[in-house]
Amino acid sequence: QVQLVESGGGLVQAGGSLRLSCAASGRTFSSYGMGWFRQAPGKEREFVAYISWSGGSTYYADSVKGRFTISRDNAKNPVYLQMNSLKPEDTAVYYCAASTGWVGPRPSKYDYWGQGTQVTVSS
């Protein structure tokens, strides 16, 4: 089992920045690839970004490329999502998730999930 806890969400004005963190406990965290997803009210959960277990490979949704950066430091545990140039359409609950490798953008392919952290971007 892997337990994931997100933090760092909040209210920010458009154009601002936030950094989300995902802390993990349980089984060997460093062997898992980690993804960030988001879900806005009335919408399906969507892929945001992914980082491989080594940190050597990253993937991003087109909607966040150039604005968001995913990173990890296995020695210190958290996985981060740095979000810059935020837009109102980025408003959502953000979730981190763990997988045994790059499984693509479908949420159903991820094994473990956190409870989410709310990000609200005002215009």
Side-chain angles (χ1 to χ4, degrees):
Q1 282 287 74
V2 173
Q3 292 80 42
L4 304 174
V5 178
E6 303 94 337
S7 62
L11 174 64
V12 64
Q13 288 188 329
S17 299
L18 282 174
R19 189 178 78 160
L20 305 183
S21 298
C22 175
S25 61
R27 298 179 69 180
T28 310
F29 164 74
S30 60
S31 66
Y32 284 85
M34 298 297 297
W36 283 97
F37 290 77
R38 65 187 181 187
Q39 188 166 18
K43 294 188 176 181
E44 294 186 351
R45 192 167 297 189
E46 65 173 359
F47 171 77
V48 175
Y50 172 90
I51 189 166
S52 64
W53 67 270
S54 67
S57 297
T58 56
Y59 302 87
Y60 295 93
D62 288 343
S63 59
V64 307
K65 277 182 184 176
R67 300 189 298 123
F68 291 10
T69 302
I70 189 170
S71 63
R72 71 189 299 168
D73 181 345
N74 286 332
K76 297 182 179 180
N77 187 298
V79 173
Y80 302 103
L81 185 68
Q82 177 68 42
M83 305 186 295
N84 298 328
S85 303
L86 283 162
K87 306 175 181 179
E89 51 264 43
D90 294 319
T91 295
V93 177
Y94 283 70
Y95 300 88
C96 65
S99 69
T100 53
W102 170 238
V103 294
R106 287 195 291 172
S108 61
K109 296 295 187 179
Y110 288 74
D111 301 308
Y112 303 101
W113 290 86
Q115 294 301 305
T117 185
Q118 176 71 46
V119 171
T120 303
V121 184
S122 63
S123 57

